Every structure is written in structure tokens, then in C-alpha cells.
Amino acid sequence: LNQLADARRFRINSMYASIQPFLWFVLLFGATVTISFSFLFGTKNTKGHLIMIALLSSAIGLALLLIYSFDHPFRGIIRVDPNSFIVALQQLT
């Protein structure tokens, strides 16, 4: 019972913990520098170059979205529903 209470406390504390603003700044600055640096790789095919930059920007954007989703586990796109906790409670009783 103590382990269950500790796990519950840990989940509640995790809900309020988040990535520090400085780390978000570093992530966004790194993404900006990476995308800006990709403009320096000139190619003869402009259309292909723009497609490569768009794909790189999409990959970085999706990675940042994934980080944001994991930072907020109980809301947003990827969230932990209370249904699994209800099923676990029913199995314990």
C-alpha cells in the first residue's frame, strides 16, 4: 500500500513538473540554427533544396512536438487517460 501511495504521489508531482524555460530556449535556438544552416547548402536544383529544407523543418517540428507532448503527459495529443487507472482500481478491489 505504501508503494501504491508513493507511485500516486510521484504521478501527481510529475504532472506539475515541466521542462525548464532555458531548455526550451536551447531547443528552439538549436532548431533555428539548424534550419538556417541548411540554407547555406546551395544546390543547382532549387526545388529539391526547398523540399529538403521543408522535410528537415518538419522533422525538427515533430521532434519538438513530441518533447512538448511528453512534457505534459495528462493533457494534449498523447495523454494518459483515467480509464487505465479505473481498470487497475477495479482489479485491485
Side-chain angles (χ1 to χ4, degrees), residues 10-11 28 30 35 41 47 67 72-73 79 85 89-90:
F10 178 73
R11 284 192 307 273
L28 293 174
I35 293 170
F41 295 123
K47 186 176 177 181
I67 292 169
H72 303 289
R79 67 174 175 262
F85 295 115
L89 181 63
Q90 288 173 349

Side-chain angles (χ1 to χ4, degrees), residues 6 10 13 15 18 25-26 30 40 42 44-45 48 50-51 53-54 57 59-60 63 65 75-76 84 87-89 93:
D6 289 341
F10 178 73
N13 289 337
M15 185 173 65
S18 66
F25 170 75
V26 170
L40 298 177
K44 293 179 182 178
N45 187 357
L50 290 176
I51 290 172
I53 291 173
S57 301
I60 291 173
L65 179 65
R75 58 189 147 126
S84 51
V87 170
L89 181 63
T93 56

Side-chain angles (χ1 to χ4, degrees), residues 15-57:
M15 185 173 65
Y16 297 111
S18 66
I19 295 177
Q20 298 295 322
F22 179 71
L23 184 58
W24 277 114
F25 170 75
V26 170
L27 288 170
L28 293 174
F29 181 75
T32 304
V33 167
T34 303
I35 293 170
S36 300
F37 188 68
S38 68
F39 282 103
L40 298 177
F41 295 123
T43 61
K44 293 179 182 178
N45 187 357
T46 306
K47 186 176 177 181
H49 188 245
L50 290 176
I51 290 172
M52 287 189 305
I53 291 173
L55 289 173
L56 176 65
S57 301

